[in-house]
Amino acid sequence: MKHTKAEQRKRRHYRVRNKISGTATKPRLNVFKSNTNFYAQIIDDTTGKTLVSASTLKLNDLKSKSNIEAAKAVANELAKEAKKANITEVVFDRSGYLYHGKVKAFADTMRENGIKF
């Protein structure tokens, strides 16, 4: 049986989520990318609450909202919000996406802004 790319990504995501979980001291940094936008949120899985979130929907000064520059802009915005909430260390959940392109640019920019994972 042939699985679509989306189904393969979901399977990878479920497999990873069985192993990682965010806590109050080290929350989970989750990313999601659609064809048109890029989203990221920091989640405390023990309480089930989103602590901080950012997406290209909130950023209006971008030419394209689905490229590497957009992912970097979301990372900068999320890092600012995380520092306000005293979050310096997270567990990175790439949601089954391969670690290259937008996801890698996002992660590198988060690290440059002082968020450890």
Side-chain angles (χ1 to χ4, degrees):
M1 183 168 140
K2 182 89 169 152
H3 295 288
T4 65
K5 277 186 173 184
E7 288 170 339
Q8 289 172 341
R9 182 192 75 78
K10 279 283 196 198
R11 291 174 71 151
R12 280 193 304 269
H13 189 213
Y14 288 133
R15 199 166 51 236
V16 170
R17 282 290 287 126
N18 283 327
K19 296 174 187 159
I20 67 169
S21 179
T23 62
T25 56
K26 199 168 181 179
R28 177 171 56 100
L29 170 58
N30 182 36
V31 295
F32 176 75
K33 52 183 193 166
S34 69
N35 287 338
T36 54
N37 289 295
F38 191 86
Y39 309 84
Q41 57 186 348
I42 297 178
I43 305 162
D44 178 4
D45 287 318
T46 55
T47 60
K49 297 206 185 230
T50 298
L51 306 173
V52 181
S53 68
S55 72
T56 52
L57 296 174
K58 297 177 186 174
L59 304 172
N60 295 324
D61 57 339
L62 300 171
K63 270 194 237 177
S64 171
K65 294 188 177 200
S66 62
N67 59 9
I68 288 177
E69 284 73 33
K72 288 180 181 179
V74 170
N76 287 325
E77 185 67 27
L78 188 66
K80 274 188 229 165
E81 295 292 323
K83 285 182 181 174
K84 285 181 192 172
N86 292 328
I87 299 169
T88 57
E89 197 169 359
V90 296
V91 178
F92 189 53
D93 174 13
R94 56 188 174 83
S95 299
Y97 297 112
L98 298 178
Y99 189 79
H100 69 91
K102 291 179 237 183
V103 176
K104 184 176 188 304
F106 174 83
D108 291 342
T109 305
M110 287 295 284
R111 285 190 189 100
E112 287 167 13
N113 284 309
I115 306 296
K116 294 180 183 143
F117 42 100

